[in-house]
Amino acid sequence: MRYLAAACLALLSLTPAATAQSRAVFDVMESRGDLLGWEAVGRLDLPNGFCTGALIGRDLVLTAAHCVFDPVTGAPYPARGMTFRAGYHHGSAITERRVDRWAVPERYSELAADGTSSSGSAVATDVALLRLAQPISSAEADPFRVHEMPAPGTRVSVVSYGRGREEVLSRQPDCEITRRYREDVLGFDCDVTFGSSGAPVFVREDNRLRILSVISSGNARGESYGPSLPALVSELRQRLNREDARPKVTTGARRITVGGGSREGIGARFIKP
């Protein structure tokens, strides 16, 4: 995990100019028609910015855990302060819902309270599951399924609302799993930027798209990282179904940031500039 921590620390040295020089090719969904099949991916609007999220159930949205913490104060956002806008496109959405409650892994909550920012466990548990106030119908958006971990070399794609493309959905269609780290952290050669936090990483199975991971962090070399999902998602589903699933605000809570508390750079620890 030392390599992973060093790679994530590179976030702090990445400037907007360096991002602009990226060679990544994106399919930008400029028209409403381009969103066909992607309606379940949406923009998660937060009190101080936005992330990307995706439906994995009629009332369940998957994103990154650090998205639900205020980047300045480190305090968890109240659920009702978040809105999921499915198929967001130039100011309008196919449908939108307020968030009713959310859950993150217990291990992530511990790291947030401790301020352990450079641990690989931060990336390994950087997942949040949000329950919407009302379900979204299948006529509006069809949820995606979560996929088990495939082997390195498997082709993947990332769909997100990135900086400079925050009003339209865009897809990087051609990247792959480069490495599997300890604690089931996956490395990708996908190029991510502000707004890509929580973006679904897709893999194709039997000609159907499944969510393999969510974007947690990235660096100046075009590398990105995300956690394995099945066990974490199962845990969070159970927590949301319990009476005590609502997040508890504590005075010691701090936001996890890879490499420190700076808001500069790209990847997992970012909100709208």
Side-chain angles (χ1 to χ4, degrees), residues 15-258:
T15 65
T19 304
Q21 294 170 0
S22 170
R23 298 187 208 172
V25 176
F26 295 93
D27 293 337
V28 181
M29 303 179 194
E30 293 288 1
S31 71
R32 273 288 181 192
D34 294 334
L35 290 174
L36 185 63
W38 301 107
E39 298 90 344
V41 181
R43 205 172 81 171
L44 179 63
D45 284 359
L46 307 162
N48 291 325
F50 69 94
C51 283
T52 303
L55 281 174
I56 61 168
R58 298 297 174 201
D59 62 349
L60 294 175
V61 172
L62 186 68
T63 191
H66 71 265
C67 290
V68 300
F69 289 85
D70 188 288
V72 177
T73 67
Y77 285 131
R80 291 286 178 162
M82 310 178 203
T83 301
F84 177 68
R85 294 186 163 93
Y88 178 85
H89 186 83
H90 287 297
S92 65
I94 292 171
T95 189
E96 61 182 61
R97 299 288 190 278
R98 293 283 184 184
V99 175
D100 180 61
R101 58 182 177 172
W102 56 259
V104 299
E106 292 183 4
R107 179 58 178 155
Y108 188 92
S109 296
E110 293 170 359
L111 291 168
D114 292 342
T116 311
S117 61
S118 60
S119 169
S121 295
V123 177
T125 57
D126 193 8
V127 177
L129 198 58
L130 286 55
R131 175 158 289 164
L132 303 177
Q134 294 91 28
I136 292 176
S137 72
S138 58
E140 294 170 313
D142 199 15
F144 292 102
R145 292 173 122 186
V146 172
H147 192 275
E148 299 289 336
M149 186 179 297
T154 299
R155 308 304 297 178
V156 297
S157 60
V158 175
V159 180
S160 70
Y161 293 90
R163 180 170 57 184
R165 308 181 304 275
E166 56 263 33
E167 292 299 314
V168 295
L169 198 60
S170 60
R171 175 174 178 248
Q172 186 179 353
D174 191 24
C175 45
E176 67 179 42
I177 302 170
T178 56
R179 189 171 176 181
R180 178 177 175 178
Y181 297 89
R182 285 176 6 190
E183 301 188 76
D184 284 342
V185 171
L186 296 174
F188 310 104
D189 62 359
C190 308
D191 197 1
V192 297
T193 185
F194 285 95
S196 298
S197 279
V201 180
F202 287 102
V203 63
R204 189 172 292 277
E205 178 189 53
D206 297 330
N207 210 32
R208 290 183 176 273
L209 289 169
R210 306 287 190 236
I211 299 178
L212 170 66
S213 184
V214 295
I215 293 298
S216 174
S217 61
N219 62 32
R221 296 188 296 275
E223 300 166 330
S224 52
Y225 308 95
S228 175
L229 295 177
L232 292 173
V233 170
S234 177
E235 172 196 336
L236 297 181
R237 282 180 187 269
Q238 294 176 25
R239 292 188 61 200
L240 282 175
N241 287 331
R242 296 200 300 261
E243 288 295 326
D244 62 349
R246 292 183 183 276
K248 297 178 177 60
V249 178
T250 64
T251 56
R254 292 178 59 191
R255 174 174 171 264
I256 288 287
T257 56
V258 172

